[in-house]
Amino acid sequence: SRAVSQLLQSSGCGCGISIVPVRCIGVSPRQVASDASFHSVSFSESDHPRVLITGGLGQLGVGLAKLLRKRFGKNNVILSDIRKPADHVFHSGPFIYSDILDYKNLREIVVNNRITWLFHYSALLSAVGEANVPLARAVNITGLHNVLDIAAEHNLRLFVPSTIGAFGPTSPRDPTPDLCIQRPRTIYGVSKVHAELMGEYYHYRYGLDFRCLRYPGIISADSQPGGGTTDYAVQIFHDAIKTGKFQCNLKPDTRLPMMYIDDCLKATLEVMEAPAEALTMRTYNISAMSFTPEELAQEVQKHIPELQVTYNVDEVRQAIADSWPMNFDDSNARRDWGWKHDYDLPELVSTMFSFLGSDSRIAQAN
C-alpha cells in the first residue's frame, strides 16, 4: 500500500496510471513480526486431521496412506506425487499431482483440501543423490523450504523424516545418540541435517509443530529398492525367491540399524499423535534391530537353504555405510512417547517371505 501511494504521489506527468491488481497472499514466515507465533491445530476425537503425503509413491507413502486412511477415513488422506500411480493405488483413495518445487501448486493443494497434517516424503535417497547432486539439492533442500513456509503459513502439523545418513564418520557409531556431532558426507545426509535444523528453527521461531524421526534402513515387501545404501536388505528377498542367488554390494560385516516397515509406520503415526507437551525434542532416533549382510543372509537361508550369496562391493555405497551408525540409541523416543518395536530379525524375515514367497517358491520348486 505504501509503495502504491508513493507511486501515485510521485507521478507528475499527468498521465493515467494503470494499477495492476496484486493478489495478497497469507502470512508467510518471511513477513511476520519477530514476536509472531503459529500453533498447530488440535483435533477432537470426532474431528480427524486432513492429511497430505508428498512423495507418496516411494517406499513409505502408500503404506502410510493405508494406515492413516484406516484410522482417519479414506477421504481424509491424500496421496501425492509427480509420477503416475498404479491402478490399485489410484483407486485406493484420493490421489493428486503435486510437485514440491512448484510452490503455488503445493499451496493450492493445501488450501483447497483444508490440509492440517503434512507428511513430507519427497526426497532423493543416498546413492541416487550422489549420482545427481544438483537434483538432490533442489528436491531435498529447495522443496523442503517450500514445505516449511506453507506449513507455517497454514498452521500445519508437519512431519519430515530424517535418516541414519544424517550422521557422518565423526559421529559416535555404536550407539549413536540423538544429540551428537553430525557431519555427513552425502548430499542426502547434508539435506537431512538441514531439514532437522530448519524444522527446529521454525518451531522455536514461528511455533511450527514440526516433528521428525531418524529412520534406520527400512525393509518392506511391497516396494522395490529405491537407490538407498540399505536397499540390499530388501533386494536379497526378491533375488532369493526369483533366482536363488544374491550378490550383495556391501561387505558381509557391515552393521547397520534396520526396521521393518510396519514398525516404521507405527512410529510415525505415534509421534504425530503424541501430545506436544510430551515431546522434549523435535527429532528422535528410532530403532528396532541391527544386523550385517552376513547375519541377514544366514537368517534367509533358514527359509531357502539353497540361496547362494556373493559379495561385489560397491565402493560408493560401502563408503556411505561405513560413515553411518551401527546402532541407534532411541531411549528418548521410548521414554517420551512410548516407542516400542514389534519386529526383530527372525520376525522380519518370516514376515517378508509370508508376503513375497509362498507362491513364488512353489512355482520355483515345480
Side-chain angles (χ1 to χ4, degrees), residues 231-245:
D231 279 351
Y232 83 87
V234 176
Q235 190 67 51
I236 187 173
F237 294 98
H238 293 280
D239 290 356
I241 292 170
K242 291 177 181 178
T243 67
K245 297 179 181 179

Side-chain angles (χ1 to χ4, degrees), residues 306-334:
E306 65 274 17
L307 173 65
Q308 300 176 24
V309 180
T310 57
Y311 295 89
N312 182 19
V313 177
D314 180 325
E315 296 301 330
V316 173
R317 295 187 190 222
Q318 186 64 50
I320 293 172
D322 288 342
S323 71
W324 283 358
M326 300 168 65
N327 285 286
F328 257 166
D329 177 358
D330 62 354
S331 55
N332 287 319
R334 294 176 186 268

Side-chain angles (χ1 to χ4, degrees), residues 60 64 119 121 159 213 215 263-273 286 337 339:
L60 298 174
L64 180 65
F119 293 82
Y121 278 113
F159 177 84
L213 296 177
Y215 290 156
D263 275 341
C264 174
L265 299 179
K266 182 182 78 165
T268 302
L269 178 57
E270 285 179 356
V271 77
M272 282 295 275
E273 291 189 315
I286 54 168
W337 44 276
W339 162 240

Side-chain angles (χ1 to χ4, degrees), residues 50-52 78 96 107-116:
R50 292 277 297 170
V51 179
L52 175 66
I78 300 174
I96 195 167
R107 196 166 180 268
E108 286 177 350
I109 291 171
V110 168
V111 171
N112 291 343
N113 294 282
R114 299 179 296 112
I115 298 302
T116 54

Side-chain angles (χ1 to χ4, degrees), residues 34-238:
S34 60
D35 59 347
S37 65
F38 295 97
H39 301 281
S40 71
V41 179
S42 59
F43 305 99
S44 68
E45 291 183 0
S46 60
D47 185 16
H48 292 315
R50 292 277 297 170
V51 179
L52 175 66
I53 304 172
T54 67
L57 298 183
Q59 184 186 25
L60 298 174
V62 174
L64 180 65
K66 183 178 180 180
L67 177 65
L68 296 179
R69 285 167 179 165
K70 185 176 180 180
R71 189 168 187 86
F72 300 133
K74 176 179 177 179
N75 293 323
N76 285 323
V77 180
I78 300 174
L79 204 59
S80 73
D81 210 303
I82 59 173
R83 295 181 290 147
K84 182 179 178 181
D87 288 345
H88 74 278
V89 174
F90 184 77
H91 293 295
S92 65
F95 180 90
I96 195 167
Y97 172 90
S98 176
D99 181 357
I100 61 166
L101 297 180
D102 186 340
Y103 181 91
K104 181 181 177 182
N105 169 250
L106 185 60
R107 196 166 180 268
E108 286 177 350
I109 291 171
V110 168
V111 171
N112 291 343
N113 294 282
R114 299 179 296 112
I115 298 302
T116 54
W117 284 15
L118 197 159
F119 293 82
H120 178 52
Y121 278 113
S122 298
L124 263 66
L125 301 183
S126 54
V128 174
E130 291 307 290
N132 194 340
V133 171
L135 181 60
R137 187 175 61 228
V139 173
N140 295 10
I141 296 178
T142 304
L144 170 79
H145 292 178
N146 289 340
V147 167
L148 284 169
D149 284 350
I150 290 169
E153 178 183 351
H154 296 285
N155 305 339
L156 308 186
R157 181 172 294 182
L158 175 63
F159 177 84
V160 179
S162 189
T163 167
I164 56 175
F167 298 99
T170 54
S171 304
R173 299 183 64 211
D174 190 15
T176 303
D178 285 303
L179 300 175
C180 65
I181 188 169
Q182 292 177 257
R183 290 295 183 271
R185 293 183 179 176
T186 66
I187 186 62
Y188 177 57
V190 169
S191 69
K192 286 304 184 181
V193 174
H194 179 78
E196 294 176 13
L197 294 177
M198 286 295 289
E200 187 171 322
Y201 172 75
Y202 269 58
H203 172 71
Y204 289 112
R205 179 69 171 81
Y206 303 116
L208 173 65
D209 192 348
F210 173 85
R211 304 181 183 206
C212 178
L213 296 177
R214 294 193 190 101
Y215 290 156
I218 304 301
I219 302 172
S220 63
D222 56 358
S223 65
Q224 294 295 320
T229 300
T230 58
D231 279 351
Y232 83 87
V234 176
Q235 190 67 51
I236 187 173
F237 294 98
H238 293 280

